[in-house]
Amino acid sequence: MNTRTDDLPGDPMTAPAPPGASPTRAPHQDVTTGHKDAGRVGAGLFDPRQVLKSLPDAFRKLDPRVMVKSPVMFVVLVGSVLTTGFSLADPGDWFGWAISAWLWLTVVFANLAEAVAEGRGKAQADTLRKAKTDTVARRLGAEGRYEERVPGTDLRIGDLVVCEAGDIIPGDGDVVEGVASVDESAITGESAPVIRESGGDRSAVTGGTKVLSDRIVIKITTKPGETFIDRMIALVEGAARQKTPNEIALNILLASLTIVFLLAVATLQPFAAHAGADLSMVVLVALLVCLIPTTIGALLSAIGIAGMDRLVQRNVLAMSGRAVEAAGDVSTLLLDKTGTITLGNRQAAEFVPVAGTTEAEVADAAQLSSLADETPEGRSIVVLAKEEYGLRERHQGELTGADWVAFTAQTRMSGVDTDGRRIRKGATGSVLAWVLEQGGTAQPDADAAARRISEAGGTPLLVAVEDAEGARVLGVIHLKDVVKDGMRERFAELRRMGIRTVMITGDNPLTAKAIADEAGVDDFLAEATPEDKMALIKREQAGGKLVAMTGDGTNDAPALAQADVGVAMNTGTSAAKEAGNMVDLDSNPTKLIEIVEIGKQLLITRGALTTFSIANDVAKYFAIIPALFAAVYPGLDTLNIMRLSSPDSAILSAVVFNAVVIIALVPLALKGVRYRPVSADKLLRRNLGIYGLGGLIAPFIGIKVIDMIISTIPGIG
């Protein structure tokens, strides 16, 4: 959210927007293909080809050095080795072999969940690697006096390179000279070219993209091997994923539960020996594996990878899992007004005459004075005069001998001198100063109209003329910020999520308040400077809140770095992209709302499956404990409420269910639990009702069905 010209207090006019800006894509467009819905989670959940490709990785992950990172599944791996060893010692024991086989499958299924999640990222990374080519750079020598051709890998930070039409940009950098049209489809998937130019917030270029027109000089800002594409490849394939604080905390909890159950199972052997029961090591291992929270232990990593993958599908690159997780806990959202809440270009809505003039006179003068104004606002004035007042659209070439005054950010006015008249249109302060310079006087009704427009959330422009009657104001043009459709509803959803929204704008407080009221945001910060943004973020964080914001300019970099979730626009400067912990490849500021929803979905999915995992252990107690001790303590048979056919069948059914439920829940872990914007207490009740109660009931049904199948096998039932 850089401080734009059109957001400056009292400055209603803008420099022309760069043409060819990349259009915003529809949601779910794949980052590497550019095709809508390509690579969506729902389209490829457990695609057989993806599963087959991921199987080798699942077996490679059986390496104990890899498995030890997941304490729960490491215990299952050790148990698998132990039961296999005891089965080898007694080859005729079918029960030991069956338990061993299903324990190995439990480990493989857990690894497969992670491998499938990583596999989709690797497919995207392969496509990105194709876009990464070895290029020859035209590096400028001392003071730009000569060029030398060097491999792109030899470029260093600070080098200046020249790129012309047809050249591949050799490295990440900022345009320091010139303007060019660039094809960034290799990065964003968007076929429409974008404009990159020096001196603004659209100066960043990415290595591997192609210059389509003109000539630019680029200052390299990254080392070889650390370019944006290199970072994207590492992130989307999961190589750079680090566990988040919540994920680490949950791992510690699961490890603690595993130790508790390990101690509990270890004490059963002497207890059983005293009671006269015979508990083999295979049975004890099966009991331990069924009691520890294997379901969430198996799916935890896949949930984290899938959360980042969902962002990638929406063309958002998260630099860390911590950022995705933080997005789910965000309580304050800072949103730029222009381009996020409003359409970005203010439109002329009406002409307000002062005493002694008519609307038609104001419209005629406004249209003439706007012919030299190429800003969107200027063009909208010409169109309004044509459509509402029947004035045909005129052009500068039609008025011979006219002197045109083009709009500039310094004068904040445009106009024309023709036929003995001097007409000016622009910001109220600039035009009024011009009138006074020509010997005219201020007009109270013009000031009243301008104030009324400002209080309504609009931006007033004055139209003035100097002719034989002297210098005077003819009227006021009402420029209106158009709030995007559906914004009020989206902010209401965020409010239900417990998120406070703050609109950031450079407009004066009156205008800012009117737009904030229309859009439905909770608060606003008017006449904002970069320092104001930083101060606001720090105040919110001091109150224990997590803050998210978007930005694209160098002056946004400090605030992006300070925010807990800083989303930099891909069209922005290198400084902004380095400071943020996410990059939106579509450069769509409203994407921040989706990012928060994805973060919350990640946290909800993790919580829901943890609840399910712990709840479904209850049924296993009723399956295994009676099977172990019913022969010694017949009274325990009353706990066999599922009426399982035999002790061996009961234990084996619990182990089989324990493995099968992992593979059954992988699609949910990858897709994520559906998020609805409701209060925390309602969300807790919903999760307990669906995943707590469901986790309690499902194993009773599943274990009973598996037992019925096993009991039909000769020699087992």
Side-chain angles (χ1 to χ4, degrees):
M1 288 185 300
N2 61 310
T3 307
R4 294 168 41 128
T5 307
D6 56 335
D7 276 345
L8 290 173
D11 181 7
M13 313 200 43
T14 66
S22 176
T24 301
R25 258 178 312 207
H28 307 305
Q29 187 167 339
D30 189 83
V31 66
T32 58
T33 65
H35 297 298
K36 184 178 179 182
D37 292 337
R40 287 185 64 181
V41 177
L45 284 178
F46 262 32
D47 176 21
R49 288 175 298 180
Q50 183 63 61
V51 172
L52 289 175
K53 286 179 65 177
S54 301
L55 269 176
D57 284 336
F59 284 101
R60 278 193 287 270
K61 288 177 181 290
L62 292 174
D63 184 341
R65 292 170 297 183
V66 176
M67 295 296 300
V68 76
K69 296 177 182 178
S70 174
V72 175
M73 298 316 299
F74 180 72
V75 169
V76 180
L77 176 67
V78 173
S80 304
V81 173
L82 287 175
T83 55
T84 303
F86 283 106
S87 298
L88 288 171
D90 185 8
D93 181 16
W94 68 266
F95 178 75
W97 285 112
I99 294 293
S100 298
W102 280 102
L103 290 185
W104 280 112
L105 284 175
T106 302
V107 180
V108 171
F109 288 165
N111 290 345
L112 187 62
E114 184 176 9
V116 169
E118 290 176 350
R120 292 185 302 170
K122 288 178 180 177
Q124 293 169 328
D126 289 340
T127 306
L128 285 170
R129 283 193 181 93
K130 294 176 184 177
K132 185 183 175 186
T133 58
D134 293 328
T135 57
V136 175
R138 295 159 56 192
R139 184 168 61 187
L140 289 178
E143 299 180 2
R145 287 194 297 250
Y146 62 91
E147 296 179 8
E148 57 178 338
R149 292 184 174 271
V150 297
T153 52
D154 288 351
L155 294 175
R156 295 295 179 263
I157 294 175
D159 285 349
L160 297 177
V161 297
V162 176
C163 289
E164 295 179 335
D167 289 346
I168 300 296
I169 296 175
D172 293 357
D174 289 321
V175 179
V176 294
E177 180 184 318
V179 57
S181 176
V182 178
D183 176 9
E184 294 188 340
S185 57
I187 305 298
T188 65
E190 178 56 62
S191 58
V194 296
I195 298 298
R196 292 291 176 261
E197 58 186 343
S198 62
D201 292 337
R202 294 177 180 269
S203 61
V205 292
T206 305
T209 57
K210 185 178 182 180
V211 177
L212 298 180
S213 69
D214 302 295
R215 175 185 184 274
I216 51 177
V217 177
I218 301 166
K219 184 177 182 179
I220 299 299
T221 57
T222 58
K223 299 177 182 177
E226 298 179 6
T227 65
F228 192 62
I229 287 185
D230 290 317
R231 291 159 66 194
M232 284 183 69
I233 291 171
L235 287 163
V236 298
E237 69 181 359
R241 195 187 88 88
Q242 295 180 342
K243 290 184 178 179
T244 63
N246 284 352
E247 194 174 344
I248 293 171
L250 184 55
N251 258 319
I252 293 172
L253 173 63
L254 297 180
S256 301
L257 288 174
T258 301
I259 292 172
V260 169
F261 283 119
L262 181 61
L263 294 174
V265 170
T267 60
L268 281 180
Q269 180 61 30
F271 178 78
H274 177 74
D278 182 24
L279 298 182
S280 68
M281 184 60 70
V282 171
V283 169
L284 290 174
V285 170
L287 174 62
L288 174 63
V289 170
C290 288
L291 295 185
I292 62 178
T294 50
T295 306
I296 186 60
L299 298 176
L300 187 57
S301 182
I303 293 169
I305 295 171
M308 294 185 71
D309 186 59
R310 281 192 289 275
L311 279 178
V312 171
Q313 290 169 29
R314 287 161 176 80
N315 273 10
V316 177
L317 184 65
M319 300 304 177
S320 69
R322 182 191 295 264
V324 186
E325 194 172 84
D329 284 328
V330 161
S331 51
T332 302
L333 207 56
L334 306 187
L335 298 162
D336 194 12
K337 182 205 73 173
T338 305
T340 304
I341 296 174
T342 65
L343 292 176
N345 295 328
R346 285 162 296 189
Q347 305 291 311
E350 63 175 329
F351 299 116
V352 181
V354 299
T357 60
T358 64
E359 287 187 31
E361 289 178 302
V362 177
D364 180 68
Q367 187 186 64
L368 278 173
S369 58
S370 297
L371 295 178
D373 180 4
E374 293 299 326
T375 66
E377 290 87 348
R379 291 193 291 270
S380 75
I381 292 170
V382 174
V383 171
L384 180 66
K386 174 186 174 183
E387 293 179 349
E388 298 295 328
Y389 297 93
L391 297 173
R392 68 183 182 85
E393 188 173 347
R394 291 170 285 193
H395 304 280
Q396 294 184 27
E398 296 180 20
L399 301 178
T400 57
D403 291 327
W404 298 96
V405 178
F407 166 78
T408 67
Q410 289 72 36
T411 64
R412 299 191 296 170
M413 286 194 307
S414 65
V416 61
D417 298 342
T418 182
D419 295 333
R421 291 193 303 166
R422 302 174 67 197
I423 307 172
R424 297 292 184 270
K425 171 229 57 184
T428 54
S430 299
V431 173
L432 186 57
W434 179 83
V435 169
L436 295 176
E437 287 175 6
Q438 312 312 313
T441 58
Q443 291 172 261
D445 49 349
D447 181 66
R451 176 168 289 278
R452 186 173 64 252
I453 290 170
S454 294
E455 290 174 350
T459 302
L461 302 181
L462 293 186
V463 181
V465 64
E466 182 196 15
D467 54 16
E469 299 178 21
R472 63 194 184 281
V473 175
L474 293 178
V476 185
I477 303 170
H478 181 184
L479 290 183
K480 187 176 181 182
D481 257 321
V482 181
V483 175
K484 291 180 178 179
D485 289 339
M487 292 308 293
R488 176 173 283 275
E489 290 75 15
R490 297 204 74 172
F491 290 139
E493 285 187 12
L494 290 169
R495 202 170 292 113
R496 288 196 295 273
M497 292 159 59
I499 296 175
R500 175 171 169 264
T501 53
V502 181
M503 182 184 78
I504 308 294
T505 179
D507 285 338
N508 63 69
L510 286 176
T511 301
K513 183 179 187 307
I515 295 174
D517 291 341
E518 183 180 354
V521 296
D522 298 312
D523 202 355
F524 65 90
L525 179 64
E527 299 179 348
T529 64
E531 292 76 17
D532 293 335
K533 297 176 190 177
M534 278 286 289
L536 176 60
I537 292 172
K538 289 180 178 180
R539 281 200 306 272
E540 293 291 321
Q541 291 172 333
K545 299 176 181 177
L546 295 186
V547 181
M549 71 163 287
T550 60
D552 59 0
T554 300
N555 61 351
D556 290 323
L560 285 171
Q562 180 68 36
D564 300 284
V565 180
V567 184
M569 302 294 101
N570 189 44
T571 56
T573 62
S574 296
K577 289 196 279 190
E578 288 293 332
N581 49 24
M582 292 188 187
V583 177
D584 177 17
L585 301 179
D586 288 333
S587 299
N588 175 13
T590 59
K591 193 78 67 69
L592 186 57
I593 298 173
E594 289 184 56
I595 290 170
V596 170
E597 292 175 349
I598 291 171
K600 286 192 173 293
Q601 186 184 35
L602 169 66
L603 297 178
I604 290 169
T605 301
R606 187 185 294 157
L609 292 184
T610 300
T611 303
F612 183 91
S613 177
I614 294 174
N616 71 21
D617 283 345
V618 175
K620 299 168 192 173
Y621 305 153
F622 286 93
I624 295 182
I625 299 300
L628 295 180
F629 295 102
V632 180
Y633 301 104
L636 285 177
D637 192 55
T638 57
L639 295 178
N640 184 16
I641 58 178
M642 289 179 278
R643 313 317 300 171
L644 303 178
S645 57
S646 69
D648 286 351
S649 174
I651 296 170
L652 184 57
S653 297
V655 172
V656 172
F657 176 83
N658 198 59
V660 171
V661 76
I662 292 173
I663 210 72
L665 289 175
V666 169
L668 182 61
L670 298 182
K671 185 179 180 181
V673 175
R674 184 180 177 187
Y675 172 71
R676 295 185 180 89
V678 296
S679 61
D681 58 332
K682 288 183 179 178
L683 190 61
L684 178 61
R685 287 198 297 270
R686 174 174 168 264
N687 277 355
L688 288 176
I690 297 176
Y691 298 99
L693 190 60
L696 198 62
I697 295 173
F700 283 96
I701 299 172
I703 291 173
K704 178 60 179 176
V705 170
I706 294 171
D707 176 75
M708 292 170 63
I709 295 172
I710 290 175
S711 63
T712 62
I713 301 175
I716 296 181

